[in-house]
Amino acid sequence: MKLKIGILTSFDNTYKKYIGACRDLNVDYEVVDILAPDWAQNVKKSDCRGFLARPPSDFQERKAFFDERLYCINKVLNYPIYPSWEELYIYENKRMVAHWLEIHGFPHPKTHIFVRKQDALKHLKQCAYPVVFKASTGSAAKLVNIVKNYSQARKIIGKIFGLLHPVMASGYNGYSFRGIPIPLPGANQRHYAIVQEFYKIKWEWRVIKIGDSFFGRKKLLRGNFASGSHRVGWERPPDEVLFLVNEICEKGNFLSMGVDVFETHDARFLVNELQSITGIRSGVKMLADDKPGRLRLIDDKFVFEEGEFNQHDGYLARARHFLDILGSSCADLDNPLDGAQEK
Ligand SMILES: Nc1ncnc2c1ncn2[C@@H]1O[C@H](COP(=O)(O)OP(=O)(O)O)[C@@H](O)[C@H]1O
Ligand SMILES: [Mg+2]
């Protein structure tokens, strides 16, 4: 049977980049609506060997149900998905990223995650300021707030956990316009707080690894924030950062991973984010001497190869990597559901 790939829908049009990629790769595909109420039927009646996914990055609730549906597809129905369930579970989940980095001992900003109000207040009463509050899901620094003192922190904690009881939690997002808070309750975080030590950073490196290709660049600061600054430094990342990214991807068996690394003023590299699918618009991910290309790790050295490797904003590289994996692991698999039924 000819290999056919499923493309799962996303809230926005991003999944269409997978369509463009499959067309360019001349591979049979079917779009399967994972957002529809009858999504499970759609998956089961398709004759796809595996599914390409692009989870939402806007609201935590949307990400949570996407995780659940991917769990059903990959862990219950036993279909391969790309990227892997494990790397998509930590995607847009800053709590999980902090746990993962801590457990594996990778250098990262000191992060405290509180799920009880009294623990948060106890810490915030005695910690050094400023601290960084961030929501678990969010991008472009929209839900990242630098908090200068305890009185500010206590107000935020009241909103997140509720003044007298959790049912009173109005939630918090920190959106404001010229200092005036804007109530956007749909973006509010509730019932947990992520509090990080504040680091003086020079910039943030972003390295993306898809298959065996590495792409890297610098995100420069605008004010306090590199994320969302739209200021790019087209420079090859230091080898130390590239090897760190390689080690992280090996540890997590990550297939497609963007790693953001702070370079601090005191010359440390700290892993700030792991994002399986980064929200890059431009097709170019790496330039060296003004030439587009990629890096590959060959004989313990990162070697630059000139060329265009980012068609469809990297979705072609992801689709191709998935095809390689399916080609080698699913050659004899007629129906992935067979495995599920045996269990
Ligand atoms: N612990 C920190 N210390 C100093 N600056 C930080 C810290 N955490 C985040 N920032 C700044 O805020 C930006 C956004 O934070 P980040 O955690 O990357 O969230 P987002 O998902 O919005 O990109 C970062 O690019 C960095 O400039
Ligand atoms: Mg970021």
Side-chain angles (χ1 to χ4, degrees), residues 6 14-16 88 105 129 141 191 210 229 267 287 329 338:
T14 332
Y15 73 97
K16 291 190 176 160
L88 289 182
Y129 284 86
H191 309 304
I210 303 174
S229 73
L287 290 181
S329 70
D338 291 349

Side-chain angles (χ1 to χ4, degrees), residues 94 109 132 134 138-142 144 196-199 201 204 221 224-227 262 272-273:
K94 289 189 173 68
V132 182
K134 36 179 93 170
S139 59
K142 282 184 283 208
V144 175
Q196 265 182 2
E197 282 179 21
F198 178 84
Y199 294 82
I201 64 171
E204 193 172 356
L221 290 169
N224 277 319
F225 301 119
S227 176
F262 289 158
N272 177 44
E273 290 216 75

Side-chain angles (χ1 to χ4, degrees), residues 180-206:
I180 303 164
I182 310 175
L184 296 171
N188 282 2
Q189 78 173 87
R190 292 184 181 85
H191 309 304
Y192 73 91
I194 303 175
V195 181
Q196 265 182 2
E197 282 179 21
F198 178 84
Y199 294 82
K200 288 199 172 127
I201 64 171
K202 290 199 268 189
W203 42 69
E204 193 172 356
W205 291 101
R206 167 164 289 176

Side-chain angles (χ1 to χ4, degrees), residues 240-255:
E240 190 177 338
V241 172
L242 293 167
F243 278 111
L244 178 62
V245 171
N246 191 52
E247 209 188 319
I248 287 172
C249 291
E250 279 184 355
K251 179 61 81 181
N253 288 319
F254 298 145
L255 308 171

Side-chain angles (χ1 to χ4, degrees), residues 4 26 32 52 58 65 84 104 106 113 144 156 225 237 248 262 264 267 333:
K4 184 163 143 196
N26 202 16
V32 173
L52 290 161
D58 46 9
F65 78 68
S84 70
H104 292 299
F106 289 108
I113 298 173
V144 175
I156 297 173
F225 301 119
I248 287 172
F262 289 158
T264 65
L333 192 60

Side-chain angles (χ1 to χ4, degrees), residues 67-329:
D67 284 341
E68 290 157 14
R69 293 179 184 193
L70 288 181
Y71 181 89
C72 293
I73 294 171
N74 182 239
K75 304 291 179 201
V76 182
L77 293 171
N78 276 343
Y79 285 96
I81 62 169
Y82 191 98
S84 70
W85 192 84
E86 285 73 14
E87 64 198 306
L88 289 182
Y89 185 61
I90 63 173
Y91 172 69
E92 282 300 338
N93 187 339
K94 289 189 173 68
R95 290 190 304 256
M96 271 305 298
V97 168
H99 297 325
W100 194 92
L101 293 169
E102 177 74 27
I103 287 167
H104 292 299
F106 289 108
H108 62 286
K110 182 88 191 133
T111 309
H112 305 270
I113 298 173
F114 301 108
V115 295
R116 289 188 303 207
K117 187 179 174 184
Q118 68 267 31
D119 294 336
L121 290 176
K122 188 174 164 206
H123 172 78
L124 290 162
K125 256 181 209 151
Q126 49 75 43
C127 70
Y129 284 86
V131 290
V132 182
F133 272 58
K134 36 179 93 170
S136 202
T137 303
S139 59
K142 282 184 283 208
L143 295 171
V144 175
N145 290 286
I146 297 172
V147 174
K148 295 194 186 92
N149 51 47
Y150 176 63
S151 114
Q152 220 184 331
R154 197 184 47 180
K155 279 189 200 136
I156 297 173
I157 292 299
K159 289 180 182 164
I160 287 179
F161 289 98
L163 278 181
L164 301 171
H165 190 277
V167 289
M168 297 170 80
S170 59
Y172 172 75
N173 60 52
Y175 282 129
S176 67
F177 182 68
R178 296 194 175 147
I180 303 164
I182 310 175
L184 296 171
N188 282 2
Q189 78 173 87
R190 292 184 181 85
H191 309 304
Y192 73 91
I194 303 175
V195 181
Q196 265 182 2
E197 282 179 21
F198 178 84
Y199 294 82
K200 288 199 172 127
I201 64 171
K202 290 199 268 189
W203 42 69
E204 193 172 356
W205 291 101
R206 167 164 289 176
V207 176
I208 297 166
K209 181 173 187 280
I210 303 174
D212 64 352
S213 303
F214 292 76
F215 309 96
R217 62 193 170 90
K218 245 183 202 174
K219 293 201 277 185
L220 304 172
L221 290 169
R222 187 185 295 276
N224 277 319
F225 301 119
S227 176
S229 73
H230 300 295
R231 296 183 64 217
V232 180
W234 293 112
E235 280 166 64
R236 177 185 164 130
D239 275 5
E240 190 177 338
V241 172
L242 293 167
F243 278 111
L244 178 62
V245 171
N246 191 52
E247 209 188 319
I248 287 172
C249 291
E250 279 184 355
K251 179 61 81 181
N253 288 319
F254 298 145
L255 308 171
S256 157
M257 186 52 76
V259 183
D260 287 347
V261 182
F262 289 158
E263 183 166 341
T264 65
H265 278 282
D266 58 358
R268 282 185 290 161
F269 292 117
L270 302 174
V271 181
N272 177 44
E273 290 216 75
L274 300 177
Q275 309 183 69
S276 179
I277 294 185
T278 50
I280 281 183
R281 287 201 194 98
S282 143
V284 178
K285 287 197 173 55
M286 165 142 203
L287 290 181
D289 298 331
D290 280 336
K291 295 183 192 108
R294 65 174 172 180
L295 290 162
R296 285 204 301 154
L297 185 56
I298 300 169
D299 295 334
D300 270 341
K301 282 202 179 65
F302 283 96
V303 180
F304 183 73
E305 199 180 315
E306 192 186 334
E308 177 57 70
F309 300 99
N310 299 306
Q311 295 91 337
H312 301 286
D313 293 350
Y315 284 75
L316 189 135
R318 292 190 186 101
R320 181 183 283 139
H321 191 205
F322 192 37
L323 281 175
D324 288 347
I325 294 167
L326 289 179
S328 55
S329 70

